[in-house]
Amino acid sequence: MNHSKWRMTVLVAGHAVDDLYQGAVPAVVPFLIAERSYGYVAAAGITVAATLLSSVVQPLFGILTDRRAMPWLVPVGMTVAGVGIGLCGLGESYLFTWLAIALSGLGVAAYHPEAARLARRVSRDGHIGMSWFALGGNAGFALGPVLVTPVLAFGGLHASPLLMIPALLGGAWTFMAMRGVHGAATHATTHTGRDDWRQFGRLTVVVIARSMATFGLATFLAIWVAQRVGGLVAGSAALVVLFGVGALSTLLGGVLAERWGRINTRCV
């Protein structure tokens, strides 16, 4: 395996581990409802802790990594994301759980800008290479419920520290492999073009609308299925299907973008 493929393999696998903890949040929520009798508002608050903080803070990390390469954020962000999820079941108070989930969101925010920049450079801005990187993240989303459900079903919320294991192993592996990846990102890329804030604003509105639908569905789908169809396992299975189809569609989108262009593919 040549250096570029090895570097992309590290990034794809790391993205899967990192986003596994985003997929873990909606899978944890039904267990919080079952063991602590959280209502829908409290459950939505847990999802907000993971997504809102990540969304607000992530551009700040993007600004920092645009100015200076920080490859260490990749393993550190991944590890923090896992630690937050691992801590969420230990405290009995809602505030402690909320802060633990927020910590995980902070780790996710720290991971993505630098990891995406490294992936773009390693793939040489190729659509298929970036679709593989995105596929890793979506696959991680789908694997989140697969990890959470057996651990919490058998051990309860107090077994949540076991959920840290993939992040600790993945963070250590990524850190050791970063000597190979670091050579691909000695300096941040400098862009000389003019910013088009009007088009960026329109795109932002579309992304916000998509995110509202996506995270609303991710939060309440498992709860609805668990209550109406057949328990917590059925709810987690619904999330696996939702996130799994998203992962496959991401890879297909990369192939189509390589052939038809990114704009045409997104319009479709």
Side-chain angles (χ1 to χ4, degrees):
M1 182 181 295
N2 61 40
H3 289 299
S4 294
K5 289 184 178 179
W6 165 246
R7 291 167 179 168
M8 184 55 71
T9 299
V10 171
L11 291 169
V12 170
H15 198 190
V17 172
D18 183 80
D19 280 14
L20 180 152
Y21 293 101
Q22 286 189 287
V25 174
V28 167
V29 167
F31 289 94
L32 292 172
I33 291 175
E35 292 193 27
R36 299 182 182 173
S37 301
Y38 286 175
Y40 285 131
V41 175
I46 295 297
T47 303
V48 167
T51 58
L52 182 61
L53 181 63
S54 176
S55 300
V56 171
V57 176
Q58 190 162 302
L60 300 179
F61 285 106
I63 292 172
L64 291 175
T65 55
D66 273 349
R67 295 178 178 178
R68 182 179 180 181
M70 297 180 179
W72 56 269
L73 280 176
V74 177
V76 170
M78 182 191 311
T79 302
V80 171
V83 169
I85 294 296
L87 293 175
C88 73
L90 297 183
E92 295 295 333
S93 73
Y94 182 82
L95 178 60
F96 181 90
T97 302
W98 194 93
L99 290 175
I101 296 294
L103 178 66
S104 179
L106 181 64
V108 170
Y111 172 89
H112 276 94
E114 183 68 0
R117 189 176 65 81
L118 290 171
R120 283 196 303 271
R121 181 164 293 211
V122 170
S123 67
R124 299 178 182 179
D125 288 324
H127 300 313
I128 294 179
M130 287 305 297
S131 70
W132 275 106
F133 176 72
L135 175 65
N138 285 338
F141 257 106
L143 290 173
V146 175
L147 172 69
V148 168
T149 301
V151 171
L152 299 189
F154 288 102
L157 289 173
H158 290 294
S160 65
L162 294 175
L163 301 176
M164 298 183 192
I165 293 175
L168 297 177
L169 295 177
W173 179 56
T174 303
F175 180 79
M176 289 186 292
M178 194 55 61
R179 287 174 297 180
V181 179
H182 183 69
T186 54
H187 298 286
T189 303
T190 300
H191 299 281
T192 57
R194 188 180 65 179
D195 294 328
D196 189 343
W197 290 105
R198 177 177 295 180
Q199 294 298 332
F200 179 79
R202 293 174 180 173
L203 180 60
T204 299
V205 171
V206 173
V207 171
I208 290 174
R210 172 192 174 276
S211 297
M212 290 173 63
T214 300
F215 286 107
L217 185 61
T219 299
F220 296 111
L221 175 64
I223 299 172
W224 186 87
V225 172
Q227 293 178 347
R228 302 292 182 88
V229 178
L232 297 175
V233 174
S236 295
L239 290 176
V240 171
V241 173
L242 174 66
F243 297 148
V245 172
L248 294 176
S249 299
T250 297
L251 183 59
L252 176 62
V255 174
L256 295 177
E258 193 77 23
R259 178 174 298 180
W260 296 341
R262 284 178 289 185
I263 301 300
N264 292 333
T265 301
R266 292 189 182 193
C267 290
V268 172

